[in-house]
Amino acid sequence: MAEKLTYTTFEEYQAPEFPIDNPTKGALEVLKWAYTHYSDDELVYACSFGIEGMVLIDLISQVNERAHIAFLDTDKHFQETYDLIEKVRERYPNLNIEIKKPKLTLEEQAKEFGDNLWETNPNKCCEIRKVIPLGEVLSGATAWISGLRREQSETRKHTQFTNKDNKFKSVKVCPLIHWTWKDVWRYAHKNSLPYNLLHDNGYPSIGCQTCTLPAFNADDLRSGRWTGTGKIECGLHQ
């Protein structure tokens, strides 16, 4: 039996059973295991600073106040998102927050691929501005943390606490898989967490300003993302 859970030992390693009948539905136990199992330079939390991200940041800070958190700055986020990051820095001053930008500026991208690539080829735009940068962040890591919840969409309903990530050849740890939308907000309000003010204006899922609208389907919290394109994921979780 493998001693550490990695991409190459995923089938050999016996992951622990995490209790889910507690206030955090296993999330805190998963995080305690992850930050014990991996060293600080082996584990990264890729955070988009949505409300799930705020919950995870608060939980992570209880386990490792100096955790590495990476934000993929596409240069097209809402100002409210950038404002929130500064609030997080103030509340959790010891966290190691990395702002990761793509190699191409928006001007360089336009010269190479044409103006408004997010409209003409949103998959390519996400690849350049999110997928490749995350791959660079994870190049020296063994595992990464994500705020995926099973309730979010059909493509996420089978997510486990630990997942073999074939895209990034990594282990993806998802502590919030059993949380509902109500659970997330209940925790946020109970703990007076700062959050993106766009959540108060019909944006349950917040990405780039160019590709995010208020949700139009109450049963699909991600219905405001890439509206009318048929695209449902940025590529990080496919």
Side-chain angles (χ1 to χ4, degrees):
M1 184 182 299
E3 295 183 357
K4 176 169 284 191
L5 179 60
T6 68
Y7 179 77
T8 56
T9 67
F10 195 87
E11 282 76 18
E12 304 168 23
Y13 182 82
Q14 183 62 48
E17 293 289 332
F18 299 106
I20 62 174
D21 56 345
N22 56 43
T24 66
K25 295 187 174 181
L28 198 55
E29 288 73 18
V30 170
L31 289 170
K32 288 178 179 177
W33 167 82
Y35 282 102
T36 301
H37 193 69
Y38 300 108
S39 63
D40 285 353
D41 60 354
E42 289 180 311
L43 184 61
V44 179
Y45 172 34
C47 181
S48 63
F49 288 87
I51 190 60
E52 289 95 347
M54 296 312 305
V55 168
L56 271 176
I57 284 175
D58 191 70
L59 291 172
I60 287 171
S61 71
Q62 298 172 37
V63 177
N64 183 350
E65 64 176 10
R66 299 185 182 279
H68 180 190
I69 295 176
F71 173 66
L72 304 178
D73 186 2
T74 63
D75 292 313
K76 296 299 291 184
H77 287 286
F78 290 90
Q79 185 58 47
E80 288 87 346
T81 303
Y82 294 114
D83 292 343
L84 176 61
I85 293 173
E86 295 310 307
K87 292 179 182 178
V88 170
R89 289 188 189 277
E90 293 174 7
R91 178 158 173 160
Y92 309 94
N94 293 323
L95 288 178
N96 175 19
I97 300 178
E98 174 187 5
I99 306 299
K100 177 65 176 178
K101 287 181 175 287
K103 290 183 177 178
L104 292 181
T105 65
L106 289 171
E107 292 75 16
E108 291 169 339
Q109 178 174 294
K111 287 181 180 179
E112 186 169 346
F113 298 98
D115 293 335
N116 301 342
L117 184 60
W118 48 87
E119 295 176 354
T120 60
N121 191 341
N123 286 330
K124 186 65 176 178
C125 190
C126 283
E127 178 188 358
I128 294 170
R129 313 205 74 75
K130 296 187 76 172
V131 177
I132 293 175
L134 181 58
E136 293 170 352
V137 169
L138 298 180
S139 63
T142 303
W144 64 295
I145 296 171
S146 172
L148 297 187
R149 296 183 297 108
R150 290 179 177 179
E151 183 192 61
Q152 285 173 323
S153 67
E154 282 294 308
T155 59
R156 300 179 177 186
K157 68 180 182 180
H158 298 299
T159 306
Q160 304 296 320
F161 281 132
T162 57
N163 306 267
K164 188 176 185 180
D165 184 352
N166 293 316
K167 175 177 284 291
F168 295 107
K169 303 295 187 289
S170 181
V171 174
K172 183 161 61 177
V173 180
C174 300
L176 299 181
I177 58 174
H178 294 295
W179 287 49
T180 65
W181 187 237
K182 288 184 178 180
D183 291 332
V184 171
W185 278 104
R186 188 179 296 116
Y187 183 94
H189 288 314
K190 180 180 180 181
N191 294 280
S192 301
L193 301 185
Y195 63 86
N196 195 315
L197 297 180
L198 290 174
H199 285 311
D200 292 335
N201 295 302
Y203 292 79
S205 179
I206 303 169
C208 292
Q209 188 172 2
T210 52
C211 302
T212 307
L213 294 172
F216 59 83
N217 182 348
D219 296 324
D220 182 0
L221 298 178
R222 293 177 59 80
S223 59
R225 305 291 296 275
W226 305 287
T227 303
T229 67
K231 180 177 171 64
I232 59 174
E233 292 282 0
C234 63
L236 301 182
H237 306 293
Q238 293 172 315

